[in-house]
Amino acid sequence: MDAYMKGHQDGVTLIEVLISALVVAVGLLGVFQLHLVAKRSSYESFQYTQAHALATDIVERMRVNPSQLSNYASRDYGVGNFAAPAKSCINLTTEEGGCAASEMVQWDQHMWHQMLIGADEMMGGRAIGGASGMRGCVTVSDAAVEVVVTWRGMDETVDGAVGGTAAQCGQADARRRSVRIATTIVEGI
């Protein structure tokens, strides 16, 4: 019996348990890191989608009011002061007379500015609904329209706004991201 006990071992040694725990710990750290990277990527993707939707929004507002294209041009959306116009252009009845084209421009500018700064979501008097440092720039040349929306991403990469209007929109740094839409808007189509 003693010969059998000397050559055969039951159970595990302490060193085997420690090595197993180390392998499991390293594996769990890798899973947690992967989760963090996935959450950051998801948030960056959300910001891009939000910026693209905002750029599309102002383009569609301009398509509704093509006679006033040049009045939409500005590099101050998101940082300037676009006070609420005297007349709201939402939910107007025909008895109220609707909005004139110039009033619609003021309304559109105010609403787009509010969306860029995230004013639709407030917490303690502070706008929290938009991406960090979101800014909009609109340039118009005849019927050619260029809309650029920039914001500040979470991680440093390279400046996301290179050349043209994009480079002049927002704060230049390694966290700047941008979306650019170039289109032509013709009156009467």
Side-chain angles (χ1 to χ4, degrees), residues 109-173:
Q109 289 175 324
H110 169 71
M111 291 305 296
W112 200 52
H113 173 75
Q114 294 298 305
M115 287 189 278
L116 284 168
I117 64 171
D120 54 339
E121 294 180 41
M122 301 290 283
M123 180 182 284
R126 206 178 86 213
I128 61 167
S132 176
M134 193 166 269
R135 185 168 175 186
C137 301
V138 176
T139 56
V140 178
S141 176
D142 295 325
V145 175
E146 183 179 23
V147 176
V148 176
V149 176
T150 62
W151 70 97
R152 194 167 160 79
M154 291 178 71
D155 298 320
E156 289 189 8
T157 57
V158 295
D159 191 346
V162 180
T165 305
Q168 300 168 9
C169 191
Q171 177 90 19
D173 69 8

